[in-house]
Amino acid sequence: MDDDQRLLEATAALLESAGHTVTCAGDGELALRLARADRIDIVLTDYMMPVMDGLQLARAIGLDPVLSAIPVVLVSAVATPLVGSPIRASLRKPFTGASLLELIARLALRRS
C-alpha cells in the first residue's frame, strides 16, 4: 500500500510478475478493510499514508485476532519501525525489486 500511485503500480507489477496475487489500497483504512475481507498473507505499507498511517494500520492488524498473524512490512524513506511496534520487517525507499522479492520470500517461509 502506498499513496504514490506510480510506486504502487510498479510494486504490484513486480510482485505479480513473481507469481504473487496483489491487492492494492491507497490509504490505511481501505487496506484494513481489504485485509478483513480477503485472505491476505503479507501487508506492505508506507508510513506516510492518508486516513490511517502505516504504523496505525500495523497496530490495528496486530490487535485484530483474525489478522494478527499477518506480517506487516514498513516501506518508507523516512520512518523506521519503533522497538516494540507490530512491524515485522522494513524496507527503506528507494529499494530494489530483488530486495523486495527476497523479503517477501523470507516472510512467506516463516509463515509456512
Side-chain angles (χ1 to χ4, degrees):
M1 165 188 69
D2 201 294
D3 59 343
D4 178 335
Q5 190 63 33
R6 292 177 303 169
L7 181 58
L8 185 66
E9 290 171 2
T11 302
L14 172 69
L15 292 170
E16 287 170 343
S17 72
H20 300 284
T21 301
V22 177
T23 301
C24 295
D27 67 67
E29 187 175 278
L30 176 58
L32 185 58
R33 285 198 316 266
L34 291 171
R36 287 179 173 146
D38 296 334
R39 187 182 183 292
I40 303 292
D41 294 318
I42 297 171
V43 172
L44 301 175
T45 183
D46 191 0
Y47 176 73
M48 296 188 304
M49 294 294 304
V51 185
M52 175 187 286
D53 69 33
L55 187 54
Q56 291 169 325
L57 173 61
R59 286 184 179 135
I61 288 171
L63 292 172
D64 187 311
V66 175
L67 304 178
S68 63
I70 299 173
V72 178
V73 177
L74 181 67
V75 181
S76 180
V78 296
T80 56
L82 303 171
V83 173
S85 80
I87 304 292
R88 301 259 181 96
S90 64
L91 195 58
R92 191 96 164 143
K93 289 181 186 178
F95 56 87
T96 65
S99 63
L100 174 61
L101 293 175
E102 179 185 320
L103 177 60
I104 296 295
R106 205 169 55 240
L107 289 171
L109 281 176
R110 287 185 197 160
R111 290 205 68 199
S112 351

